[in-house]
Structure formats: C-alpha cells, structure tokens
Amino acid sequence: MHHVRVLLFDGVQSLDVSGPVEVFANAGAYRVTTASPGGRPVRTSSGLTLIPDGPLDDGPLDGGPLDGGPPNDGPLNGGPLGAGPPDTLVVPGGAGTRLPPPEVVEWLRRNGDRPKRVMSVCTGAFLLAEAGLLDGRRATTHWHYCATLAKRYPEVTVEPDPIFVRDGGVFTSAGVTAGIDLALALVEEDLGRDAALMVARALVMFLRRPGNQAQFSAQLSAQTAHREPLRDVQRLIIEHPEADLSVTALAAHANLSPRQFARAFAAETGISPGRYVDRVRLETARRLLEETTDGVAEVAKAAGYGTPEAMRRAFLGAIEVSPAEYRRRFSRNS
C-alpha cells in the first residue's frame, strides 16, 4: 500500500492533519502513520492532543542500520511506522511553525528528499523552506502569509493565487481546507478520478477544486488604492464588470493619461489594471455560476466577457475547467 507519513509537532493545526488523513484513509489504498519529535504526544493549536505512531528520530528514514550497525526493531525499522521511506510525506502548518521547531527542521533537512513526494499544508511551507526544500522552487501558502514567506525565503518563488502548487515532487497548498483539495488531487493522480470522486462523496464535499483556483477574492487580494480617483476606478470595475474597462477608458475616468494611469494603478494596488479587471470578471462569473440559474450566455455578458467562448477561454486559462464544469461542481442550485 502507498505509505503516507504525517509530521506532528506542538502547535500544529488539527485540520491540517485530519483533513488529508481522512482523504487518504477513505481512499482505502493508503497506510497512514504519524510521527513527532521523540514520539511525544503533541498539543494542537486548538488544544487537542494527538498521539503519534512513533518518533521521527529513532533511525534513518529508510529504515536501514544506524551507522552501519545491525538493524533494530524501532518504529522506523519494522515497528509501527514500518521500514522504508514513506511514499508521501505530509507537513502540516499551524501556530507551531511561527518559530520552526529545530528538531523538525533538522529532520526535514536530512530526510525531506527521501520520499517520492512531499506535501505541505498551509504554513507547513515555512518548515519546508527553512529546511531548504523549497529553494529554487515555486510554492504557495495561506494568502495571509505569502508575503512573509517570500520575504523570509527569497530563494522561493511564492505564488499567492493558487490553492496548491506542484513543483516536481514537492506540493504546497494554501490555508487549511486547501490541504484536502491537494490530498484529493493526489488520490486522483494515484488511483484515478473515480476514486477521488468516491472520497469526495464520502466526505460530503464538492469534487476537489482545481489547483489554479484563486485563494481569495480579487477585491481583497489587491491593495486598495490610496488616491480617490483610483479607488473610484476600482469601484467601477467591481460594480460594472460588463462596462468598457480598457486602460484608455479607465484612465479617462481617473482623469489621467493611459500611461500615468497604468503606472499609478500598479504602484498603489500591486497589480496591473488589466489583470485586476480579469480577476474581477472571473470572480463575477464564478459567483453568478454558483448562485444563479442564469444561462452561460447571460453570465458571460454580465461578467464582461461578451460571448460564452470568451468566458470559456478565460476559465480554462485561469482555473483549468470550463464554465459548465465549474457550475456542475459548485452550483448551489444543483
């Protein structure tokens, strides 16, 4: 069976642990074990106590002899955790990652490249980064901590938008429930779409969200402009996504030249006008598909795409599903 090992430490977020564990356990083709420094019980950030299957530090990850000596029967060598490196290593997040536990970081530094794949949930990305496992890689984490991750670890290319990112054998996911989406994606990769759908149904979930789905709304992920004319432009875009929102039109609304407007908007919001419009239109279309029974053509017009085909291209490019498939997965009326 595919072996999944989950790291535990004091201050871990309980749902970062239980969410992926439930997904893998319900899939039926995985053996899930947990390990903590010294094999000690850990207290989660919500006050729950978790008892691990064994310690991290009882032997080498591959279960071989220590320093060339004879094999032992500890948890990493045939005991509760079993011999051999896990196929998947899960590194959850939580308050305990704010000051990365030295024992966990050192263990990851020595052993983190041994499993076939490593996945972090939420701020678990900070532990991977501290151990050097994200150097030169793309990664994500909870939207609130993306800027901190990027500043603290400049060798990491932080992508704040997706709910999860894959770079080779390293997977990172956004806040809390995104770890469930990532675990479902791994089940689908291992066992196929039908198996992932079975797990999603068993957990009374929508089928997993695509990895490129945005973590947070366009309005809130961009900064609010300082100057009133630019704030007016942001309100115009949000309230009238169907309007002419070209740079020329928006610049005229702000009484600036197109070049001045584009430069000022990007400087004050952290995003170009065109990308902001794209995000707002995509978010508007998603909301209408989720909350209304309007036809695809009506949604495309209301969101500013004009035609269903233009909206379809936008959806496929941004979140890798068509509007029809998105509605099938997420509509509140289905």
Side-chain angles (χ1 to χ4, degrees):
M1 298 180 75
H2 189 108
H3 180 193
V4 176
R5 184 174 301 169
V6 184
L7 267 62
L8 302 180
F9 48 87
D10 284 325
V12 71
Q13 160 69 251
S14 57
L15 190 56
D16 285 5
V17 175
S18 61
V21 165
E22 289 294 337
V23 170
F24 292 124
N26 274 271
Y30 298 86
R31 181 170 65 90
V32 182
T33 60
T34 56
S36 71
R40 297 183 295 271
V42 302
R43 192 167 181 82
T44 71
S45 57
S46 61
L48 297 174
T49 297
L50 302 179
I51 301 175
D53 293 308
L56 288 176
D57 50 3
D58 200 44
L61 187 62
D62 63 2
L66 287 169
D67 300 322
N72 59 49
D73 58 358
L76 292 179
N77 298 280
L81 297 187
D87 299 287
T88 298
L89 178 66
V90 179
V91 182
T97 65
R98 292 173 188 165
L99 293 174
E103 290 175 282
V104 174
V105 171
E106 179 56 29
W107 187 87
L108 284 169
R109 191 172 285 130
R110 288 186 288 106
N111 297 298
D113 61 349
R114 305 292 292 279
K116 295 176 183 176
R117 63 192 180 200
V118 175
M119 67 169 276
S120 67
V121 184
C122 196
T123 55
F126 282 81
L127 299 182
L128 297 186
E130 185 70 17
L133 297 175
L134 297 183
D135 288 357
R137 296 185 183 273
R138 298 160 42 247
T140 194
T141 187
H142 189 290
W143 64 268
H144 187 72
Y145 299 103
C146 282
T148 303
L149 183 67
K151 183 177 180 180
R152 189 177 298 175
Y153 304 101
E155 304 86 357
V156 183
T157 301
V158 179
E159 299 189 1
D161 291 335
I163 59 171
F164 60 83
V165 169
R166 176 179 188 169
D167 190 321
V170 179
F171 299 74
T172 52
S173 61
V176 189
T177 57
I180 298 175
D181 293 295
L182 176 52
L184 278 170
L186 297 183
V187 169
E188 183 172 339
E189 180 177 291
D190 295 338
L191 306 176
R193 179 180 171 83
D194 288 346
L197 181 59
M198 177 198 71
V199 174
R201 286 173 174 165
L203 298 178
V204 197
M205 295 173 57
F206 290 118
L207 185 58
R208 71 168 179 89
R209 294 176 288 174
N212 283 345
Q213 183 163 319
Q215 290 193 40
F216 217 55
S217 71
Q219 297 96 302
L220 295 179
S221 61
Q223 302 168 37
T224 300
H226 300 300
R227 286 181 279 177
E228 186 60 33
L230 297 180
R231 288 201 296 271
D232 282 343
V233 168
Q234 287 182 294
R235 285 193 290 269
L236 172 68
I237 295 170
I238 293 166
E239 293 171 4
H240 298 285
E242 79 290 350
D244 176 6
L245 301 179
S246 63
V247 170
T248 301
L250 295 175
H253 188 83
N255 292 317
L256 295 169
S257 73
R259 179 174 292 184
Q260 287 176 317
F261 168 73
R263 192 163 49 234
F265 190 94
E268 294 197 18
T269 68
I271 187 173
S272 71
R275 191 167 185 194
Y276 188 77
V277 169
D278 289 343
R279 288 183 176 182
V280 169
R281 283 177 168 163
L282 182 68
E283 183 178 314
T284 300
R286 284 168 46 190
R287 178 176 53 79
L288 292 173
L289 290 170
E290 292 172 13
E291 298 178 358
T292 76
T293 57
D294 293 348
V296 171
E298 293 175 274
V299 171
K301 184 177 179 180
Y305 290 111
T307 68
E309 180 55 30
M311 184 169 71
R312 182 175 181 276
R313 287 196 301 270
F315 268 65
L316 291 175
I319 57 176
E320 299 180 351
V321 295
S322 69
E325 174 65 10
Y326 184 89
R327 169 166 273 173
R328 187 182 72 79
R329 294 187 186 187
F330 300 112
S331 174
R332 299 176 186 178
N333 302 295
S334 60

